[in-house]
């Protein structure tokens, strides 16, 4: 389970005195706790599933990429480098990312299986892709591919 991997990685980073990894993994675990609390109901006290954790990690990477862009515009290379280092740590917990050819093939398959004909069907295709490829696919690229194929 991904949650166990994160906790074990924190212990390993602490033993190795890798302050960058310790800080980043603690940020991940804090965000995970927020997501768990938000998803809690009376009936369900369990934490969120791995697919939700993968989506959360993707979101954290997206936030850091946006920060890097802003820091580079502001000539703050030191802060941009810190964000890049955090991204490297987060990537350790994500499955191997699909390349553009694999993304296009997955989009073609989703379009064929759903019988989509126009751009109005894009929401269903994106939902199917997110359910099947959470954490493995850059959904911004997938969205562009869907628009290209249906538009």
């Amino acid at each position: 389970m991904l949650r166990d991997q994160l906790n074990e990685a924190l212990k390993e980073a602490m033993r190795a005195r890798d302050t960058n990894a310790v800080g980043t993994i603690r940020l991940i675990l804090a965000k995970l706790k927020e997501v768990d609390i938000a998803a809690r109901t009376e009936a369900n006290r369990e934490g969120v599933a791995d697919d939700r954790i993968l989506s959360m990690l993707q979101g954290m990477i997206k936030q850091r990429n946006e920060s890097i862009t802003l820091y580079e515009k502001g000539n703050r290379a030191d802060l941009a480098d810190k964000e890049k280092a955090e991204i490297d740590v987060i990537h350790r917990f994500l499955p191997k990312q699909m390349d553009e050819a694999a993304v296009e093939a997955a989009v073609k398959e989703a379009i064929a299986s759903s019988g989509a004909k126009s751009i109005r069907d894009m929401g269903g295709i994106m939902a199917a892709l997110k359910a099947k490829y959470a954490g493995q696919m850059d959904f911004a690229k997938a969205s562009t591919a869907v628009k290209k194929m249906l538009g």
Side-chain angles (χ1 to χ4, degrees), residues 9-11 13-14 17-31 60 64 82 85-86 89-90 92-93:
L10 178 62
K11 292 174 191 172
M14 290 171 87
R17 299 189 191 282
D18 183 352
T19 57
N20 180 49
V22 169
T24 303
I25 295 169
R26 282 184 173 158
L27 286 172
I28 293 169
L29 290 171
K31 179 71 174 174
M60 291 179 78
R64 276 148 186 80
K82 183 179 182 290
E86 287 182 2
V89 173
I90 295 170
R92 293 183 203 169
F93 304 103

Side-chain angles (χ1 to χ4, degrees), residues 33-109:
K33 186 166 273 200
E34 283 180 33
V35 171
D36 282 343
I37 290 169
R40 229 179 247 169
T41 63
E42 276 301 315
N44 182 16
R45 293 288 182 190
E46 296 288 317
V48 295
D50 279 358
D51 61 337
R52 182 88 183 268
I53 296 172
L54 291 172
S55 296
M56 179 198 77
L57 293 174
Q58 290 282 33
M60 291 179 78
I61 289 174
K62 183 180 177 187
Q63 288 173 336
R64 276 148 186 80
N65 282 326
E66 291 168 357
S67 296
I68 289 169
T69 303
L70 294 173
Y71 289 144
E72 288 173 346
K73 284 181 184 175
N75 293 324
R76 294 296 310 263
D78 56 326
L79 295 174
D81 291 341
K82 183 179 182 290
E83 296 289 328
K84 289 175 186 173
E86 287 182 2
I87 288 173
D88 290 340
V89 173
I90 295 170
H91 271 295
R92 293 183 203 169
F93 304 103
L94 291 173
K96 186 178 180 301
Q97 296 293 299
M98 298 171 74
D99 61 1
E100 289 194 37
V103 170
E104 283 198 29
V107 168
K108 283 180 186 174
E109 177 190 327

Side-chain angles (χ1 to χ4, degrees), residues 104-117 125 149-150:
E104 283 198 29
V107 168
K108 283 180 186 174
E109 177 190 327
I111 289 172
S113 66
S114 69
K117 301 288 183 223
I125 294 168
M149 290 180 198
L150 292 178

